[in-house]
Amino acid sequence: MGQLATVNVNLNNIPVGGYSIAEFACTYNPALVEVSNITATNLFGADAPAAINGPQNGSFIFAIAGSNGNRATTDGTVLTFNAKGLQAGQTSIECTARIAKGDNTLISILSTGGANLTIGNIPAETPTPAPTFTPTPLSAPAIAGQVLASKPVTIRLYNADNSLAAT
């Protein structure tokens, strides 16, 4: 209680081409944990703009975007923050993430773990596990619908890098 732990939030298995934007919504029990000093790393570049909403009432939102063509192209820590134990007990810090590859569309990705904190009789140097986010493989592209036209229609599906995926 009363001690600080640094929590790292990581992105792993970043695809070729990288991510241009990431958004994290994190929740925790405010009766047990106080969050402070939310800080961006250089994963999206040295001058990446970031926005933070909170922490307030047990949650915060952190968003970051690469600028000047910068992207997150390697696995690593996106943000860090301090977690201070307020009362003895066990709690978790859960973060959900959405990313964009440059097409201005945010896609949710799954977390492979959260930070579990035990507050009480533990050594100060006990590391806090880092929440890690890994993209979930998408299923094959599919389109459903009806086209009403008086001439033949061609539908083309493109990959994120603008190469033709299917016609």
Side-chain angles (χ1 to χ4, degrees), residues 76-93:
T77 301
V78 179
L79 70 126
T80 64
F81 59 90
N82 291 336
K84 179 181 178 182
L86 301 176
Q87 295 184 40
Q90 187 171 21
T91 188
S92 63
I93 299 174

Side-chain angles (χ1 to χ4, degrees), residues 11 19-23 44 63-66 71 98-102 104 106:
L11 280 173
Y19 296 139
S20 61
I21 298 170
E23 174 192 88
F44 281 81
I64 189 166
R71 296 171 165 265
R98 298 188 307 163
I99 52 86
K101 294 181 181 179
N104 296 324
L106 287 173

Side-chain angles (χ1 to χ4, degrees), residues 17-159:
Y19 296 139
S20 61
I21 298 170
E23 174 192 88
F24 299 88
C26 300
T27 59
Y28 55 93
N29 183 338
L32 296 177
V33 176
E34 177 183 281
V35 169
S36 63
N37 197 30
I38 303 167
T39 307
T41 67
N42 289 336
L43 192 67
F44 281 81
D47 61 349
I52 302 167
N53 183 349
Q56 183 177 356
N57 299 323
S59 68
F60 67 89
I61 298 172
F62 174 89
I64 189 166
S67 63
N68 298 319
N70 288 329
R71 296 171 165 265
T73 57
T74 60
D75 296 356
T77 301
V78 179
L79 70 126
T80 64
F81 59 90
N82 291 336
K84 179 181 178 182
L86 301 176
Q87 295 184 40
Q90 187 171 21
T91 188
S92 63
I93 299 174
E94 298 289 331
C95 295
T96 58
R98 298 188 307 163
I99 52 86
K101 294 181 181 179
D103 58 2
N104 296 324
T105 302
L106 287 173
I107 302 167
S108 295
I109 57 176
L110 299 177
S111 169
T112 57
N116 292 312
L117 301 176
T118 301
I119 303 164
N121 297 319
I122 58 172
E125 65 275 358
T126 301
T128 301
T132 301
F133 297 89
T134 303
T136 303
L138 300 175
S139 59
I143 290 185
Q146 182 179 8
V147 176
L148 301 174
S150 60
K151 59 184 181 179
V153 174
T154 301
I155 298 174
R156 293 181 181 93
L157 300 176
Y158 291 90
N159 294 312

